[in-house]
Amino acid sequence: MIFGGFSASCAPYRRPVGARLVAAGRPTWKLGDGPVQVVTTRGGRRRVLILGWCGASSFEMQCLADSKLPDDIAWRWPGTYTVVEETEDCVVMYTDPAAARPVYITSHRAGWAWCSSARILASLRGSGVDTQRLTCSIMLPSVPALAGARTFFESVEQLPPGNRVELPADGTSPRYTTLWRPDPDPNHLPGQRLREALASAVLLRAAADPALSCDLSGGLDSTSIAVLVANALPTGSHLNAVTIHPEGNQSGADLHYARLTANAHPGRTAHHLLPMTAEHLPYTGITDVPATDEPMPSTLAQARVTGQLHWMRKELGTRTHLTGDGGDSVLFQPPIHLADLIRHRRWSRAASEAFGWSRLRHGAVLPLLRDAATAARTSRDEALVQLTREVGASGRNDHGHVRWFPLLPFPVWAEPSARRLLTNAATEATAIPDPLPGLDASVRTLVDEIREVARSAAADAELAALCGIDLHNPFLDAPVMDAVLRTPLDQRPPVHTYKPLLSLAMADLLPPAVAARTTKGSFDADHYAGMRANLPILLDLADGHLAELGLINPARLRRALREAAAGIPMPLATIEQALTAEAWLTAHYRDPAPAWTNEPVRSERD
């Protein structure tokens, strides 16, 4: 479901073709199916809407009618949703702290237009692609701070997550108030809170659609979601759990652990094995992706993803599907956690974890501790200033180092204009006050990373919707994020451990062998096989839109693609991001822009 509206209530109400007004007399609309809860005050001069999946009961909604909305309303209940308060003077948005339900704005006539789709707003405004934002996504996806409020379209901005935002009807500047802040909770029981938040997120979806399906990859994240669903379904129902595997090979470790889980919950889980063939290899048909708000995370794997989605819709009748995506971002401790330990004078623990991290990475411990000590003395603002001098430096690779903003190697196939755009982005970032000052570095870093993953996952959900499936990632619900990030320093897991918090939270439901897993299966072989099989098409993409924008040198990119396909060791992150961006641009210019209309239409509540 896509929703949107305007700050000024003036008929006739514009809306995308096919959209319906949520209620008569107001400019808020929805496009597609999805839950909407509405409550109007007794005088009728104020209305509160909850748009998206939300666990608020009817009674709780009615309590909002004539009272001030609570500050935690955007993360009080499970789900991914946006709260909208409409009055005659303005529209007030309460945004999801995790950004799993992003909201965008652009100026329109004398007021503001807002929407959960940046591309739809871009079509209203006639906006082109934002080249600077695109460059940041290719050259430095590891530094979300460079993007700020920019979207992939000019003049369309993302509202800050976890905020109360007033959009005045007269078009004056929006007023922002940060409401969500993950300060440590001294009474925090992190394992218990994670279990409760994750179970509530799963129960919300299972109650709405008992016939839902779920990934069961054998890893901790999807397995945790699957067993929670299996135990939340009513008696007589069962979970359709899907495990993909290479055709002709059912001996992999991931499939072994998936079977252990399915066998541990007999009668509640129907385990389905889905073989993947050569037609599902990575890079296959990457330009077949639909036009979305931004490049899809699953672009390179779209053949596998769409193959699974179509199969589940046809064979299982799936309408709602849950994944474990987002678990890595929420549950892994970033290396800069070592700097927090030093800054808080946890000397022995810092040394112990540094040794553990260096053993895991097969590196030296002293450089790691020196990095951590330097980062402990550096504020986020100071790190951003340093970034303006370092971004785009040739040969720089911060992989495995302790940094506020780790840099990837600047690719040899990038043009100087790309370096200039990165520098501009870094300079702009230094001028934006941090809305969450004073947080530990690891928590502040995770906030940025989770929001980047959650927002971009919405593009994958657009792909699933075209297959007739509503895609959900419960780990990216705001209460789950809140439960983890409020963990006090002394209770946070060591940087070198594998999701101990989740293993603890799910210990009674996971088979012991699954709970003890410290690795996950690798798809590297498929990755290189897919690159080799699709190399001619990838070489053609080098002469595409990115080259026209002056961001890449086609000849050098083709050389890098040939070397990568041959298995020559090199950083692949920027190559993958460039191909993903090129596929997105191809789809954007191929598919017609969303059309708008102001013809009269009956509302859903007439």
Side-chain angles (χ1 to χ4, degrees):
M1 177 186 72
I2 297 172
F3 52 81
F6 298 89
S7 63
S9 183
C10 53
Y13 303 123
R14 298 205 74 189
R15 68 195 187 285
V17 172
R20 295 179 62 84
L21 298 178
V22 172
R26 296 287 187 176
T28 301
W29 51 263
K30 61 176 285 190
L31 182 62
D33 295 326
V36 175
Q37 299 183 69
V38 182
V39 60
T40 304
T41 58
R42 293 182 180 88
R45 301 175 63 86
R46 171 177 170 268
R47 190 173 65 158
V48 177
L49 304 91
I50 296 185
L51 306 171
W53 287 77
C54 176
S57 66
S58 299
F59 173 75
E60 288 169 321
M61 282 294 297
Q62 287 303 318
C63 291
L64 303 175
D66 295 296
S67 61
K68 180 181 179 297
L69 299 186
D71 286 348
D72 68 346
I73 192 170
W75 69 95
R76 172 171 286 201
W77 300 291
T80 54
Y81 59 91
T82 299
V83 180
V84 182
E85 185 179 20
E86 295 180 333
T87 67
E88 295 179 354
D89 299 326
C90 68
V91 168
V92 181
M93 318 285 299
Y94 291 80
T95 55
D96 161 27
R101 177 68 72 170
V103 181
Y104 307 97
I105 61 169
T106 190
S107 58
H108 177 66
R109 296 180 179 172
W112 295 97
W114 59 271
C115 182
S116 61
S117 167
R119 189 169 187 261
I120 285 180
L121 280 190
S123 71
L124 175 69
R125 180 70 182 263
S127 300
V129 171
D130 188 318
T131 307
Q132 179 172 303
R133 177 68 183 89
L134 186 68
T135 302
C136 293
S137 75
I138 298 169
M139 308 300 172
L140 267 184
S142 59
V143 186
L146 288 181
R150 283 179 180 263
T151 69
F152 285 79
F153 300 97
E154 297 172 338
S155 304
V156 178
E157 295 184 1
Q158 181 189 356
L159 292 182
N163 268 240
R164 179 184 187 273
V165 183
E166 295 184 34
L167 300 177
D170 61 6
T172 52
S173 296
R175 295 183 285 272
Y176 303 101
T177 304
T178 300
L179 298 179
W180 179 82
R181 179 184 167 89
D183 289 312
D185 182 353
N187 301 314
H188 196 88
L189 295 173
Q192 179 180 328
R193 282 202 62 197
L194 172 60
R195 170 66 174 267
E196 292 172 352
L198 204 55
S200 296
V202 164
L203 182 60
L204 171 66
R205 279 81 173 188
D209 183 7
L212 53 74
S213 62
C214 184
D215 285 344
L216 182 56
S217 70
L220 276 178
D221 301 341
S222 68
T223 303
S224 296
I225 299 297
V227 296
L228 285 170
V229 173
N231 283 273
L233 292 175
T235 302
S237 298
H238 65 266
L239 167 67
N240 284 315
V242 180
T243 304
I244 64 171
H245 64 91
E247 186 179 39
N249 182 3
Q250 296 189 17
S251 61
D254 286 344
L255 185 51
H256 167 71
Y257 288 110
R259 281 175 166 149
L260 283 179
T261 302
N263 293 338
H265 298 272
R268 290 189 168 272
T269 304
H271 192 198
H272 304 275
L273 304 186
L274 179 59
M276 294 285 110
T277 66
E279 67 185 54
H280 301 115
L281 283 171
Y283 299 99
T284 301
I286 63 173
T287 56
D288 294 339
V289 295
T292 51
D293 286 345
E294 61 181 274
M296 289 169 23
S298 65
T299 297
L300 302 186
Q302 78 85 28
R304 175 186 63 76
V305 172
T306 55
Q308 178 182 346
L309 292 169
H310 284 305
W311 180 86
M312 291 189 304
R313 189 77 179 99
K314 178 182 178 181
E315 300 297 330
L316 307 179
T318 296
R319 298 184 303 273
T320 307
H321 184 70
L322 274 57
T323 82
D325 291 351
D328 286 348
S329 298
V330 174
L331 296 166
F332 271 133
Q333 198 69 268
I336 203 168
H337 167 68
L338 295 174
D340 291 334
L341 293 174
I342 291 176
R343 188 166 63 87
H344 289 284
R345 300 178 181 275
R346 305 300 199 272
W347 310 116
S348 60
R349 185 177 170 190
S352 173
E353 292 194 24
F355 273 105
W357 180 247
S358 63
R359 283 194 300 270
L360 185 66
R361 308 290 301 182
H362 304 290
V365 69
L366 288 180
L368 192 64
L369 285 170
R370 281 197 297 268
D371 281 352
T374 299
R377 298 191 300 268
T378 305
S379 70
R380 186 175 186 272
D381 290 342
E382 291 168 339
L384 281 171
V385 172
Q386 292 177 11
L387 191 63
T388 63
R389 300 190 293 266
E390 298 170 348
V391 69
S394 300
R396 178 71 176 271
N397 186 356
D398 292 339
H399 181 67
H401 292 266
V402 180
R403 301 278 194 275
W404 268 101
F405 305 111
L407 297 179
L408 298 174
F410 192 73
V412 296
W413 41 264
E415 295 286 23
S417 61
R419 183 181 283 106
R420 289 193 294 271
L421 288 169
L422 289 179
T423 303
N424 291 343
T427 302
E428 290 176 6
T430 63
I432 301 173
D434 185 3
L436 297 171
L439 293 178
D440 282 345
S442 60
V443 176
R444 188 65 186 87
T445 297
L446 283 173
V447 169
D448 280 350
E449 180 177 342
I450 293 169
R451 287 173 171 175
E452 178 74 9
V453 169
R455 189 206 66 248
S456 61
D460 280 348
E462 292 182 67
L463 172 65
L466 292 176
C467 299
I469 292 178
D470 197 3
L471 188 67
H472 292 258
N473 308 304
F475 277 104
L476 297 174
D477 275 20
V480 176
M481 171 188 179
D482 184 74
V484 174
L485 295 191
R486 289 189 186 275
T487 303
L489 176 68
D490 292 332
Q491 298 180 57
R492 293 174 199 158
V495 68
H496 58 283
T497 55
Y498 188 82
K499 306 178 184 178
L501 185 60
L502 184 59
S503 296
L504 173 66
M506 299 296 301
D508 62 318
L509 291 180
L510 294 176
V514 176
R517 287 201 78 178
T518 59
T519 59
K520 182 69 171 64
S522 172
F523 290 90
D524 286 350
D526 285 349
H527 182 94
Y528 284 104
M531 181 174 279
R532 287 191 294 271
N534 292 283
L535 186 58
I537 296 172
L538 304 184
L539 294 174
D540 288 342
L541 290 178
D543 279 310
H545 299 283
L546 294 177
E548 290 179 4
L549 292 170
L551 298 178
I552 67 169
N553 181 296
R556 291 179 179 176
L557 179 56
R558 283 195 294 270
R559 185 181 308 119
L561 285 168
R562 290 190 182 97
E563 292 174 353
I568 297 175
M570 66 174 64
L572 291 178
T574 49
I575 291 178
E576 293 174 349
Q577 291 298 117
L579 293 172
T580 296
E582 187 65 45
W584 176 76
L585 288 167
T586 299
H588 171 66
Y589 289 115
R590 178 197 65 217
D591 296 351
W596 287 72
T597 183
N598 57 6
E599 294 180 0
V601 63
R602 290 177 60 84
S603 76
E604 294 192 341
R605 297 175 181 271
D606 280 349

